[in-house]
Amino acid sequence: MLSEKMLNALNEQLNKELFSAYFYFGIAAYFKERSLDGFASWMEAQAEEELGHALRFYDYIFDRGGRVELERIEKPKQEFESPLKAFEAVYLHEVGVTQSIFKLVDLAKEENDHATYNFLQWFVQEQVEEEASTKTIVDKLKIIGDSPQGIFMLDRELGARGSQLRSLLTQKA
Ligand code: FEO
């Protein structure tokens, strides 16, 4: 059974993961509006991954006999000065998510909640990957600068990461 404090913190994180998905859909729309379909596709895949993260928290709360409490999801920013600024915002967002996962781990330790501590280890590792992959794209965009050719090439590269859910969910019956 989860303590009330742990349950509230897990529900808060569930909201943050749902917000992350919303945030990334907003950035995908920013890219799509500019016909940067590869960037948009990468961001849509990222948004889907966040829904997966939210589901992990959702399932875990139920598995431990807790009550899922869904809260309002904040409106995300959809305007950025450039692809670099958009990806810098993504990187900073992931750094913030890492901090909130670490806080959850600290709380699980404080409460001697070994099951939650164990559950969170997947996220600790995932955040290492999330920060690394977004930082790499920020670095590439810094190298590219204002080169349209560089943006075009990176758009092609990022487009290789396609949305998994889109084809499943948008199939016509
Ligand atoms: Fe759910 Fe990108 O962290």
Side-chain angles (χ1 to χ4, degrees):
M1 191 179 160
L2 293 164
S3 72
E4 199 183 331
K5 203 169 168 187
M6 194 79 248
L7 174 62
N8 290 341
L10 289 168
N11 269 315
E12 250 178 59
Q13 189 63 35
L14 168 59
N15 182 272
K16 284 182 186 167
E17 300 293 346
L18 288 170
F19 172 73
S20 295
Y22 213 38
F23 181 54
Y24 293 143
F25 276 127
I27 303 177
Y30 160 80
F31 283 124
K32 233 173 159 55
E33 276 167 26
R34 284 152 186 83
S35 297
L36 289 169
D37 289 348
F39 280 89
S41 167
W42 191 97
M43 210 53 82
E44 286 170 8
Q46 186 73 12
E48 289 172 3
E49 246 187 55
E50 299 300 344
L51 290 177
H53 295 173
L55 271 175
R56 281 176 184 258
F57 280 98
Y58 177 91
D59 286 344
Y60 181 73
I61 291 169
F62 279 115
D63 286 348
R64 298 294 309 283
R67 181 166 201 277
V68 162
E69 284 274 345
L70 296 174
E71 300 291 342
R72 184 188 298 272
I73 302 171
E74 196 188 319
K75 181 174 170 53
K77 183 176 153 90
Q78 269 182 254
E79 280 306 318
F80 300 89
E81 273 172 47
S82 62
L84 172 61
K85 292 287 178 204
F87 264 93
E88 279 176 342
V90 170
Y91 173 67
L92 283 179
H93 180 73
E94 288 300 337
V95 169
V97 173
T98 302
Q99 290 313 309
S100 65
I101 296 288
F102 285 3
K103 277 191 194 152
L104 280 175
V105 173
D106 288 344
L107 181 62
K109 271 200 223 163
E110 256 171 59
E111 305 233 329
N112 283 325
D113 185 339
H114 299 284
T116 301
Y117 178 87
N118 195 41
F119 163 75
L120 291 169
Q121 294 314 300
W122 184 90
F123 285 94
V124 171
Q125 186 53 38
E126 175 71 2
Q127 284 311 120
V128 173
E129 288 165 28
E130 296 272 69
E131 284 191 26
S133 64
T134 50
K135 175 76 167 52
T136 300
I137 299 170
V138 166
D139 290 345
K140 285 185 181 179
L141 282 165
K142 281 183 181 165
I143 294 166
I144 287 168
D146 290 331
S147 156
Q149 199 186 6
I151 294 284
F152 178 71
M153 282 171 69
L154 186 57
D155 189 58
R156 266 220 307 236
E157 182 188 323
L158 296 181
R161 185 189 184 197
S163 158
Q164 303 281 313
L165 279 181
R166 174 187 291 283
S167 48
L168 269 178
L169 297 180
T170 57
Q171 263 172 15
K172 302 247 182 323

